[in-house]
Amino acid sequence: MVFSHDTEVALLSAVNLINTAPSTVAVDGSISGPDSMATVAELDDFVVREQFTGSREHSPTEVAAVRDMRAELRTIFTADEDTAAEMVNNLLSRAHALPQLVKHDQWDWHLHATAPAAPLAQRMGVEAAMALVDVIRAKELCRLKVCEAPDCCAMVIDLSKNRSRRYCDTGNCGNRAHVAAYRRRQSALGAAGHA
């Protein structure tokens, strides 16, 4: 394990949130694809899947706030260390974060830094920011990556021991890259056999 369990869970949840945005990169560099955080129902599904607790509005305004937080987190995840630290501090300051140990549901002791009644987007952002504190302090920002597939810009959190993860979980980026590499090798072998 690279980080504590709750840090890893928060980082993965933040990546999952960021990756609800369109992430297909076209040849011209434009980004398109489905946005799976467009409706209240999609947000409800995400909250259940990611096991967020606390109050909810169940409104389009809440969806918009979560989408804004998603964009802010992507910027933090792709920033250099100094910028990421400044942005994390700003996010924590805006939320008046006060870290506290809590235990609820199936979760043992872990950190919360907002009240359960705080807006969902704020709770999501602060949870991610608290995890990013550990990442920045450990000098491990290199574990936050953009998918290396040429047609994808989804985020990747690399929790492997050797920092070797290259592709996201949003599609088949890794499989497509491996198949393309295999075909290139086979083509090169075929060309060498005909020479």
Side-chain angles (χ1 to χ4, degrees):
M1 181 166 12
V2 177
F3 301 107
S4 67
H5 177 71
D6 58 331
T7 294
E8 289 186 6
V9 167
L11 290 170
L12 290 168
S13 184
V15 165
N16 291 340
L17 175 61
I18 293 166
N19 289 343
T20 63
S23 61
T24 304
V25 179
V27 175
D28 67 1
S30 63
I31 298 172
S32 63
D35 185 330
S36 59
M37 188 62 70
T39 67
V40 172
E42 288 172 329
L43 177 56
D44 290 345
D45 290 343
F46 183 84
V47 167
V48 169
R49 222 175 25 257
E50 298 297 325
Q51 301 180 348
F52 278 97
T53 59
S55 68
R56 292 283 314 282
E57 290 178 21
H58 300 280
S59 70
T61 303
E62 185 176 52
V63 173
V66 169
R67 288 168 57 119
D68 289 345
M69 182 55 65
R70 171 181 77 181
E72 184 175 357
L73 290 175
R74 181 177 182 83
T75 302
I76 295 171
F77 270 59
T78 57
D80 63 80
E81 184 178 272
D82 290 342
T83 304
E86 182 179 332
M87 292 181 75
V88 164
N89 285 340
N90 183 297
L91 199 159
L92 293 170
S93 176
R94 284 192 332 258
H96 307 287
L98 180 61
Q100 297 177 21
L101 284 168
V102 295
K103 187 192 298 191
H104 59 85
D105 302 321
Q106 79 275 12
W107 300 101
D108 202 356
W109 291 111
H110 61 282
L111 284 174
H112 278 202
T114 58
L120 176 63
Q122 185 180 73
R123 292 193 320 271
M124 289 175 156
V126 168
E127 183 173 313
M130 293 297 293
L132 287 163
V133 165
D134 287 346
V135 173
I136 293 167
R137 290 180 341 150
K139 301 284 189 195
E140 293 286 357
L141 273 176
C142 62
R143 292 184 178 276
L144 311 178
K145 305 174 181 182
V146 176
C147 181
E148 288 186 21
D151 61 342
C152 184
C153 65
M155 294 301 304
V156 176
I157 177 72
D158 183 357
L159 297 175
S160 66
K161 287 184 181 183
N162 62 357
R163 296 174 182 86
S164 61
R165 184 150 182 224
R166 299 171 49 201
Y167 302 103
C168 70
D169 291 330
T170 63
N172 293 317
C173 294
N175 287 340
R176 285 186 292 119
H178 294 346
V179 167
Y182 172 78
R183 288 182 179 152
R184 281 192 303 275
R185 287 191 305 273
Q186 292 302 316
S187 179
L189 286 173
H194 289 92

